[in-house]
């Protein structure tokens, strides 16, 4: 009997572990499938955005042109623009670009679960994946054709590769960690904060320190193009060192920023903030008792951005938002999951019921906050706006000339290009004087007609409206225009020929925009003045 028990006990434990693993992957798959279904349903509901049009218009060039634009001129995320280039040259458009975001958002779910399992256990990983999937940060950026779900995915790869390399060692694992870091650096400029956080954790843990430092050194050299792109972006937005920026730069403002981020990572602010933060604090205490290294890693993930934001000089156009710390979302979700899982395990039937109810309430609160913060995700355009935009695009697509010069990356231009793939690609960045001048120099003279779009419904306006009055700049005979709902499309009747003439005419158009109370008109006028001096 004793021999039978001793032989069957390991077998029973093995079967239990197999059942746990099966339940873990079944639950993770269910969460990922649910997220994919939600994102797929609302993929086209969110109105097209200027930043999405930017990536696709840049992607219309050759791959070399895209890399040069991103690394040497604009700065930013080469990997994201590389995917945009691939979408364009495979015949896709806005939907294709958003599918890329959806794929990486859904692919992040099992990685969040795996990270949670490493930091705590499988049950915590599964609950953390569910909580992260319902957050505004992941829901919004899972359908928004930008780089943030890609950034989340690559950061998760880097954290998992780091933990594997430190725990088990081996050149192969450290090489995989280095590759993951490079992919992350190519995904977003804020990846530098993640590299710094992981470097700090390596130093604090002091395990396989030599191999880790060699890997970080190799990444520092191999990542020079990405560091350069970050410097270009920093110079464009005048980011410096010394603190004192109007948005951050002090411990109080940084703490307020983290409080705001925690709300966007969970169920929002106001009445939700205190219970959510208390829950996270309890999770940190419980996890510290069991796995202090996990809490140390999370502390490094928080400490490096906090230090950077206190030292940096930032302005209102560069102040970080919740999306910039999307790499911290899995860690915050783990802290929320730890006490809920503990309650479910040790609280009996009542505790399990309370824990499941709390998870459900948090998920409902997260979705409610998503709708409150960004209603168009679920509701789409106001009635008639999508049809008006489509009508404006149809007019431009049917009357265009390939030499037309477009100011900005308006969604109207994007939809015109999707209607007619030979639509003009001469789109000028509108808010950066140096970039505008450089892009204008790339267009050979004689220049074609100028095209401008005013959007009265844009969120940058003091008052958002669904209609706009018909107006033309002076001399009126030199322009033609159409009004479609909130959109006023203006086009010069004749080619503008020279760059200086284009800027002079565009300045006159922007002065009209100011009289129409278009919020971007002042910014564009300032950029045009700056571009004139650079020409």
């Amino acid at each position: 009997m004793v021999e039978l028990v001793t032989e069957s006990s390991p077998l029973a434990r093995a079967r239990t572990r197999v059942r746990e693993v099966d339940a873990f992957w079944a639950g993770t798959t269910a969460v990922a499938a649910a997220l994919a279904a939600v994102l797929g349903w609302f993929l086209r509901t969110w109105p097209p955005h200027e930043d999405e049009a930017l990536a696709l218009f840049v992607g219309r060039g050759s791959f070399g042109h895209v890399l040069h634009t991103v690394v040497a001129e604009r700065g930013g995320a080469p990997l994201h623009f590389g995917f945009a280039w691939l979408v364009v040259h495979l015949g896709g458009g806005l939907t294709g670009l958003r599918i890329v975001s959806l794929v990486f958002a859904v692919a992040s779910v099992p990685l969040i679960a795996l990270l949670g399992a490493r930091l705590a256990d499988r049950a915590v990983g599964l609950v953390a994946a569910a909580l992260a999937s319902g957050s505004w940060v992941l829901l919004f950026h899972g359908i928004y054709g930008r780089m943030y779900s890609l950034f989340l995915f690559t950061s998760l790869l880097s954290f998992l590769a780091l933990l594997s390399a430190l725990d088990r060692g081996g050149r192969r694992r450290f090489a995989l960690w280095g590759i993951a870091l490079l992919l992350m650096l190519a995904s977003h400029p804020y990846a530098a904060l993640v590299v710094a956080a992981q470097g700090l954790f390596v130093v604090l843990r002091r395990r396989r320190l030599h191999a880790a430092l060699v890997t970080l050194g190799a990444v520092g050299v191999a990542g020079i193009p990405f560091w350069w792109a970050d410097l270009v972006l920093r110079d464009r937005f005048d980011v410096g060192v010394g603190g004192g920026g109007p948005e951050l730069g002090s411990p109080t403002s940084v703490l307020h920023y983290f409080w705001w981020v925690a709300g966007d990572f969970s169920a929002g602010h106001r009445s939700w903030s205190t219970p959510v933060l208390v829950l996270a604090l309890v999770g940190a205490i419980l996890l510290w008792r069991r796995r202090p290294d996990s809490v140390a890693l999370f502390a490094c993930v928080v400490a490096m951005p906090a230090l950077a934001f206190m030292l940096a000089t930032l302005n209102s156009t560069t102040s970080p938002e919740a999306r910039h710390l999307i790499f911290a979302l899995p860690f915050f979700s783990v802290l929320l999951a730890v006490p809920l899982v503990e309650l479910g395990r040790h609280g009996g039937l009542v505790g399990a019921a309370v824990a499941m109810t709390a998870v459900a309430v948090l998920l409902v609160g997260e979705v409610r906050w998503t709708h409150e913060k960004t209603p168009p995700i679920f509701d789409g355009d106001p009635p008639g706006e999508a049809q008006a935009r489509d009508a404006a695009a149809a007019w431009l697509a049917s009357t265009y000339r390939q030499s037309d010069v477009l100011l900005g990356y308006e969604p109207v231009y994007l939809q015109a290009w999707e209607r007619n793939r030979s639509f003009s690609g001469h789109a000028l960045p509108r808010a950066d004087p140096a970039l505008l001048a450089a892009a204008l120099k790339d267009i050979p003279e004689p220049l074609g007609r100028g095209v401008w779009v005013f959007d009265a419904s844009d969120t940058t306006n003091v008052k958002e409206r669904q209609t706009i009055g018909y107006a033309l700049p002076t001399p009126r005979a030199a322009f033609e225009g159409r009004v479609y709902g909130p959109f006023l499309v203006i086009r010069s009747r004749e080619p503008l020929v020279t760059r200086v003439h284009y800027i002079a005419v565009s300045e006159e158009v922007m002065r009209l925009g100011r009289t129409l109370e278009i919020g971007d008109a002042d910014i564009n006028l300032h950029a045009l003045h700056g571009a004139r001096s650079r020409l």
Side-chain angles (χ1 to χ4, degrees), residues 55-392:
L56 291 168
F57 267 80
V58 171
R60 293 176 63 181
S62 67
F63 188 68
H65 168 77
V66 170
L67 290 180
H68 175 77
T69 299
V70 177
V71 175
E73 295 181 357
R74 298 195 63 89
L79 192 56
H80 166 66
F81 281 88
F83 277 111
W85 175 85
L86 186 63
V87 167
V88 170
H89 289 269
L90 288 176
L94 178 60
T95 300
L97 187 64
R98 289 183 173 180
I99 288 175
V100 173
S101 293
L102 183 152
V103 167
F104 283 109
V106 173
S108 296
V109 171
L111 297 188
I112 294 172
L114 285 172
L115 182 63
R118 274 192 167 273
L119 296 177
D121 56 52
R122 293 190 186 95
V124 168
L126 176 56
V127 174
L131 293 176
S133 297
S135 68
W136 170 83
V137 173
L138 196 53
L139 287 175
F140 178 45
H141 293 99
I143 60 172
Y144 189 13
R146 294 194 72 190
M147 69 288 294
Y148 290 96
S149 64
L150 173 63
F151 183 26
L152 173 63
F153 177 81
T154 54
S155 68
L156 282 163
L157 283 180
S158 71
F159 281 116
L160 288 169
L162 166 67
L163 294 174
S164 176
L166 294 183
D167 288 343
R168 303 172 68 181
R171 291 183 179 179
R172 179 172 172 271
R173 290 186 179 87
F174 277 101
L176 290 175
W177 176 42
I179 293 171
L181 287 177
L182 289 173
L183 289 173
M184 181 180 62
L185 287 171
S187 302
H188 198 281
Y190 274 63
L193 298 178
V194 184
V195 176
Q198 294 186 10
L200 178 60
F201 179 71
V202 163
V203 171
L204 292 176
R205 194 175 181 187
R206 303 192 64 81
R207 186 174 183 182
R208 297 188 171 89
L209 184 59
H210 180 265
L213 292 179
V214 169
T215 302
L216 289 172
V219 168
V221 174
I224 287 176
F226 310 132
W227 305 123
W228 183 260
D230 294 347
L231 290 174
V232 170
L233 189 67
R234 184 206 66 180
D235 291 341
R236 281 184 56 214
F237 288 101
D238 192 26
V239 176
V241 176
E247 295 299 319
L248 295 177
S250 70
T252 302
S253 58
V254 170
L255 283 174
H256 182 268
Y257 166 62
F258 283 148
W259 170 81
W260 190 267
V261 170
D264 284 344
F265 280 1
S266 55
H269 312 109
R270 297 184 290 275
S271 59
W272 287 87
S273 295
T274 300
V276 166
L277 291 175
V278 168
L279 188 66
L281 178 60
V282 172
I285 294 171
L286 292 173
L287 194 57
W288 176 262
R289 292 176 177 175
R290 293 166 48 193
R291 299 193 179 184
D293 280 353
S294 298
V295 179
L297 178 57
F298 181 63
C300 293
V301 168
V302 174
M304 292 312 300
L307 179 62
F309 296 151
M310 283 190 286
L311 293 177
T313 302
L314 303 169
N315 54 54
S316 59
T317 61
T318 57
S319 58
E321 300 180 27
R323 64 177 181 265
H324 295 113
L325 293 190
I326 194 170
F327 56 85
L329 171 65
F331 295 91
F332 189 75
S333 298
V334 166
L335 293 186
L336 295 180
V338 166
L340 298 176
V341 171
E342 286 296 304
L343 178 61
R345 279 180 178 153
H346 304 296
L349 292 177
V350 174
V354 171
M356 293 177 64
T357 302
V359 171
V361 168
L362 271 174
L363 286 171
V364 170
E366 288 175 348
V367 175
R368 178 206 59 83
W369 173 244
T370 300
H371 185 266
E372 181 179 337
K373 184 178 175 71
T374 318
I377 292 179
F378 301 138
D379 302 337
D381 285 303
E385 187 174 318
Q387 293 84 348
R389 187 188 301 109
D390 193 57

